[in-house]
Amino acid sequence: MATKIRLQRGGRKGYAFYSIVIADARAPRDGKFTEKIGTYNPNTNPATVNLNFDRALYWVETGAQPTDTVRNILSREGVYLMKHLRGGVKKGAFDEAACQKKFDAWKADKQKGLEKVAADEAKAKKDAAAKELAQEKKVNEEIAKKVAEKKAAAEAAKAEAEAAKAAEEAAAEAPAEEAPAAEAEAPAAE
C-alpha cells in the first residue's frame, strides 16, 4: 500500500485549517486516514505548524510520500534535515551526538532568523506608526492655524464692528451737543 503524507482540510468557509495526516494514496482528501501527525494553520502570520516531529520522521524514513505543501512544511520544520543527518550516521560519517549537535545548531540559527524577521516587522510597524503620528500632528497644526486665523478674523471683525458702533454713537452725540450751542448762538445774534 502506497502511503502519502497530506493535508486534510478542516475549519469553516474562508478560514481553512488543515490536519497533517498519513493516508492511503487512493483515499480522498478528507477521507479515511491512518494517523494524524500534526496541524497547519495558514491564516496566521507566519503560518502556525504543530507537528509531532518523531512520527513525521518515522513516516518519511519508511517511505511515505508527502504532497508538495507538506514537503515544504516538513522541510521548514527540519524533518528532511534530520533524515539526511541520520543517513550520515548510518554510513558512518559521524556519530549520533554530532548529528544531534548539527541539528540543534540549525534549529538555533533558524530561530535567530525568525526572531530577526519578527523584530524587523515590529520595527517597521513602529516606524510606520511614528510616521503616521507625525503626519497627524502636522495636519492638526494646520487645522489649529486655520482655526486661529478664523478666530483672529472674527475678533477683528467684532472689533471693527464695535469701533464703527462707537463712531456712530460719537457722531450721534456730537451733533446733539452742537445743536444747543447753535441755539445759544442764534439768540445772541439777534
Side-chain angles (χ1 to χ4, degrees):
M1 167 176 90
T3 56
K4 280 238 182 233
I5 305 175
R6 63 166 50 145
L7 296 176
Q8 184 177 43
R9 182 160 181 188
R12 65 177 190 268
K13 182 178 179 181
Y15 192 87
F17 184 84
Y18 298 95
S19 296
I20 303 170
V21 298
I22 308 299
D24 182 10
R26 298 168 292 186
R29 179 190 71 179
D30 297 337
K32 188 175 174 184
F33 61 90
T34 307
E35 181 181 353
K36 178 179 173 183
I37 60 171
T39 59
Y40 169 62
N41 184 0
N43 301 305
T44 59
N45 186 17
T48 307
V49 176
N50 184 7
L51 184 69
N52 184 341
F53 187 85
D54 296 330
R55 291 306 293 167
L57 183 61
Y58 165 78
W59 282 104
V60 167
E61 286 180 338
T62 56
Q65 294 298 311
T67 60
D68 293 339
T69 305
V70 174
R71 182 179 293 112
N72 291 336
I73 292 169
L74 296 177
S75 181
R76 269 186 265 132
E77 294 297 312
V79 173
Y80 277 100
L81 176 65
M82 183 56 95
K83 179 185 176 197
H84 175 74
L85 292 173
R86 280 191 170 180
V89 170
K90 287 178 186 172
K91 292 179 183 176
F94 44 84
D95 62 345
E96 189 68 38
C99 169
Q100 192 61 40
K101 185 177 177 183
K102 287 182 180 185
F103 182 75
D104 291 340
W106 174 83
K107 196 81 164 173
D109 187 44
K110 181 173 173 132
Q111 190 62 33
K112 281 183 189 175
L114 291 174
E115 288 171 0
K116 184 179 183 302
V117 168
D120 290 347
E121 191 173 306
K123 183 181 178 199
K125 191 180 277 188
K126 186 177 178 182
D127 291 345
K131 185 177 179 183
E132 191 174 310
L133 182 64
Q135 287 177 343
E136 189 173 333
K137 282 182 179 179
K138 185 177 177 183
V139 168
N140 286 344
E141 287 173 1
E142 290 176 6
I143 290 172
K145 186 177 177 183
K146 287 180 182 178
V147 167
E149 288 174 1
K150 272 188 173 179
K151 282 185 178 180
E155 289 292 326
K158 186 177 180 183
E160 189 176 304
E162 287 177 4
K165 187 177 179 183
E168 283 179 18
E169 288 176 3
E173 289 177 12
E177 290 175 6
E178 291 176 10
E183 289 176 11
E185 288 177 14
E190 288 176 12

